[in-house]
Amino acid sequence: MDVSKAIVILGKTGSGKSSLANTIFGEELFTIDHTINSETEKCRAATKSVNGRKITLIDTPGFFDTDRSEEDMKPAIVRCITECAPGPHAFLIVLKVEKFTEHEKAVIDKICQYFSEEVLKYATVLFTHGDQLPKGKSIMDVVDQNEFMKDLVQKCGGRCHVIDNKYWNNPRDEYRSNQFQVEELLKTIDKTVLANDGGRYTNEMLQTVEAEIQQEEELIRQSSENMSEEEIRRQARDRAYKKLIFKLAGVTTGALLGALFGVVVMVGAVATVLKISSEPVQLRHAVAKTVGVGLTGGIFRGAVGASGTTLGALTLTAAVTGAVKGALTGYDAAEGADSPQEAVKRANEAVQEEAQSFLDKTNDVLESMLQPKSKQSQNLK
């Protein structure tokens, strides 16, 4: 069977991700919404042969938008995880050719926050709105003028291209040609796949999700006849997505992004939740104790993190433990909910209650430590 190269398109809202996918495919397979709202509220995927290569483009919402609600983003992130499992062959980080502002810097900072060095081995920076390139300049000329963009491109192995979804259709200059740039981009992806020994980017979390999808595929094969493998895969992904939404209701958006893009502590935390969420309740609680109920700082980090708050002062070890514990707390609380919204509400209430309990205990300890020594002595008597 001809294996399609899976390519995930990432970038902020309005950067031209959906238009880029249509430009690469040479037809409008992705709907463009020109209203003020995001053009892609849901993660979408399409497959087609382009210049002799079979590719699947996975178009995503603005994962790195700085003004999007975390809870609004969670379903789209889970959908992206199921669409690209067991892992994509490449990532395209989409930015606009424009004057670099603090907003663009914030987006790049967020990308660097969630992307591990491993992910960047599979990533290419792709600039849209190429008509804004100064005359006689290449995209690397523009990149070299900005330290933040230059640093990101360097981390991606120097892989960088430019395209113009609107104007570069009948150019006189070969460089300013969509046809030329698409072929150059696909060549870069070919080289990236070859450099990574033909493999996909994957991690424990993506492999765990793939195992869930394969289980669903087997169930569908047993109950359905004369169904193509492509349709079986599609239905299996849909079933897995619905299950994962509930299983991951207590996990933060940040943890999901970190797990998808290779932040080691988040990969382990989210994968642990997925693996044990189908086990008996007694086992889940036993695992929760094993992974660090004794590290109260970590528990607090997980509880606060699961309710959408961050606390940067805690150690990395505490964060790992807390992420797992907080996610488990959220999962247990969400069990039995009638909808993802109710599951999230239950999870947030549970972890907030746990966080408040820890805060109260911490305040008592701090007040005791801050008392004058003489008063502490009296208390001891």
Side-chain angles (χ1 to χ4, degrees):
M1 184 174 65
D2 186 15
V3 178
S4 175
K5 288 188 177 70
I7 304 167
V8 176
I9 304 175
L10 301 162
K12 72 174 184 177
T13 299
S15 61
K17 300 184 302 296
S18 299
S19 295
L20 168 65
N22 290 335
T23 298
I24 292 174
F25 280 145
E27 62 177 301
E28 293 195 5
L29 296 182
F30 294 92
T31 303
I32 308 299
D33 182 1
H34 294 290
T35 65
I36 195 170
N37 296 320
S38 171
E39 74 279 12
T40 307
E41 291 296 339
K42 297 179 180 180
C43 181
R44 300 176 293 182
T47 302
K48 184 182 176 182
S49 291
V50 180
N51 297 357
R53 306 168 180 85
K54 186 178 180 181
I55 63 174
T56 296
L57 296 180
I58 302 166
D59 187 17
T60 64
F63 287 170
F64 303 108
D65 289 2
T66 54
D67 56 354
R68 295 289 295 272
S69 163
E70 288 209 349
E71 289 309 320
D72 288 344
M73 293 301 301
K74 190 179 297 184
I77 298 171
V78 177
R79 173 62 75 179
C80 181
I81 292 170
T82 57
E83 286 292 342
C84 69
H89 294 89
F91 294 94
L92 296 182
I93 302 173
V94 181
L95 301 169
K96 292 171 67 175
V97 178
E98 61 184 359
K99 185 177 179 180
F100 195 74
T101 66
E102 285 299 314
H103 184 72
E104 279 68 48
K105 178 182 178 299
V107 171
I108 292 178
D109 285 343
K110 200 168 184 181
I111 290 172
C112 293
Q113 174 188 349
Y114 289 118
F115 274 39
S116 69
E117 293 297 324
E118 187 67 20
V119 169
L120 296 178
K121 293 179 183 178
Y122 297 78
T124 297
V125 180
L126 192 287
F127 287 90
T128 58
H129 296 263
D131 64 305
Q132 297 183 27
L133 268 180
K135 186 176 180 179
K137 298 287 186 180
S138 71
I139 190 59
M140 286 308 299
D141 293 331
V142 175
V143 168
D144 287 341
Q145 293 175 2
N146 187 281
E147 288 301 318
F148 290 99
M149 288 194 290
K150 184 177 178 180
D151 180 62
L152 178 61
V153 171
Q154 286 178 343
K155 288 179 178 178
C156 294
R159 293 180 292 274
C160 178
H161 291 278
V162 63
I163 208 166
D164 190 283
N165 298 315
K166 189 174 182 180
Y167 299 108
W168 285 7
N169 296 316
N170 297 295
R172 296 177 181 176
D173 180 358
E174 182 183 51
Y175 187 83
R176 286 166 164 74
S177 161
N178 283 338
Q179 184 177 359
F180 173 79
Q181 290 293 346
V182 166
E183 177 60 22
E184 291 301 298
L185 172 63
L186 294 178
K187 287 179 181 177
T188 292
I189 293 174
D190 289 342
K191 292 176 183 177
T192 302
V193 173
L194 187 62
N196 291 310
D197 298 321
R200 299 169 178 257
Y201 162 76
T202 191
N203 57 42
E204 185 181 1
M205 187 271 295
L206 285 166
Q207 290 167 3
T208 302
V209 172
E210 175 64 16
E212 180 88 39
I213 294 173
Q214 289 181 4
Q215 289 178 10
E216 293 297 332
E217 285 181 327
E218 187 58 34
L219 291 174
I220 294 171
R221 288 191 185 95
Q222 292 174 4
S223 60
S224 303
E225 295 182 0
N226 301 323
M227 186 180 292
S228 69
E229 285 299 310
E230 185 176 344
E231 180 59 26
I232 290 173
R233 181 72 178 182
R234 169 51 53 199
Q235 290 193 16
R237 278 178 170 156
D238 288 342
R239 289 187 185 184
Y241 166 76
K242 292 175 182 177
K243 286 186 177 182
L244 292 171
I245 279 291
F246 282 92
K247 287 184 178 182
L248 297 172
V251 181
T252 67
T253 297
L256 288 174
L257 282 176
L260 174 59
F261 299 132
V263 179
V264 176
V265 295
M266 293 295 99
V267 170
V270 177
T272 299
V273 174
L274 290 177
K275 286 180 178 179
I276 67 176
S277 60
S278 59
E279 299 295 337
V281 173
Q282 295 86 347
L283 176 58
R284 292 206 306 275
H285 287 294
V287 173
K289 290 182 180 180
T290 302
V291 297
V293 171
L295 289 177
T296 54
I299 296 171
F300 176 58
R301 171 62 181 86
V304 175
S307 60
T309 309
T310 58
L311 188 64
L314 294 172
T315 66
L316 187 61
T317 302
V320 179
T321 305
V324 177
K325 180 61 174 70
L328 289 170
T329 298
Y331 176 80
D332 284 337
E335 198 164 26
D338 294 327
S339 68
Q341 291 77 15
E342 183 185 352
V344 169
K345 183 175 182 293
R346 289 188 183 188
N348 280 335
E349 289 174 352
V351 293
Q352 286 172 2
E353 182 179 346
E354 185 175 358
Q356 187 60 53
S357 175
F358 177 78
L359 272 175
D360 292 340
K361 292 177 182 178
T362 302
N363 286 335
D364 290 342
V365 173
L366 290 175
E367 287 177 5
S368 175
M369 293 173 63
L370 293 173
Q371 287 179 357
K373 289 185 177 179
S374 58
K375 192 172 182 179
Q376 289 185 31
S377 300
Q378 290 177 2
N379 290 340
L380 290 173
K381 293 179 181 179

